[in-house]
Amino acid sequence: PASSRGTRGRSGASSLNNSATASPMGLSLPNMAQEAPSLGDLLERIEEVPTSTMGTVGRLASSPLFVCICGGYAAYNALVQGLGYWGPTFVQAVLGVPASQSGYGCALVTVVGSVAGIMAGSALLDHLITRHPEQTAGRMLACAAQLAFVLALAAWPLLVIVVWVPETAVSFFGVLLAADFLLFALTTPVNMVIMASVPEDLRGTALGASVMINHALGDVPAQAIVGAIADTVAHAGGGAPRFGRGMRVAVTALDMYYGLS
């Protein structure tokens, strides 16, 4: 029995090592370790991991990179979800587009931009990683972090332009599509940075914690805050409500939050 367990452990580790380089959607995710650990090593690591919730939270919080990337990702999520929720209202108030057309337009832009952006970002990250002969953990982390930064930086001017420049629905949706493409292209690099910023045994927990932080500091308060800002600005100064001006200021606040992050 001991011999069979050792055989299964070796074969399981070998399978883990062989399958670590493939993922759905064709993105290669090479193993961060040089060699797959044996079953005995994995069991020893599990025994060393703190079982308390506070111990796990403390280990995550001890990584400055994880804390920073989660804060920035929350701002990103606030922007994406805020635009998704208030986008149709913005188009109606600012450009005078009928409700039926504004809803369909925003939905179409989101679907096309998200699908194309995620696939393009994954393929580009694959290319950047595999073009170097030494695919070390540090090299992969650097490629993912640099790509995420460049994409996030490139999207920010478009997000400002889409609020103040377009005068027609066609120009608005065109700029929004380009911004959505860049925003969704950075999701794969960011998730890779999150996993690489913590120990191996915490990668699943880190992704789950980042989702919780995204909701707590991102889309949950963003929708209410945007509505409150828009109402306050629209009714400022007396007279008839100016919802167009209120929506511009509110969405610009989202852009500033995202840009500062």
Side-chain angles (χ1 to χ4, degrees), residues 102-152:
S102 63
Y104 282 119
C106 289
L108 181 61
V109 166
T110 300
V111 171
V112 174
S114 61
V115 174
I118 291 173
M119 294 180 66
S122 300
L124 182 56
L125 180 60
D126 245 1
H127 172 72
L128 293 176
I129 291 175
T130 56
R131 72 174 183 172
H132 293 277
E134 296 182 2
Q135 299 178 22
T136 61
R139 182 64 203 171
M140 289 185 289
L141 176 59
C143 287
Q146 291 170 5
L147 179 58
F149 176 77
V150 170
L151 291 172

Side-chain angles (χ1 to χ4, degrees), residues 67-92:
V67 174
C68 291
I69 200 71
C70 283
Y73 211 11
Y76 160 89
N77 202 46
L79 175 66
V80 171
Q81 297 298 332
L83 283 176
Y85 184 84
W86 287 106
T89 304
F90 178 90
V91 176
Q92 295 171 44

Side-chain angles (χ1 to χ4, degrees), residues 8 64 107 110 129-130 137 139 148 158 161 165 172 174 200 211 215 228 257:
R8 289 195 299 270
T110 300
I129 291 175
T130 56
R139 182 64 203 171
L158 295 177
I161 291 173
V165 175
F172 172 84
E200 291 181 13
V211 172
H215 290 309
Y257 179 36

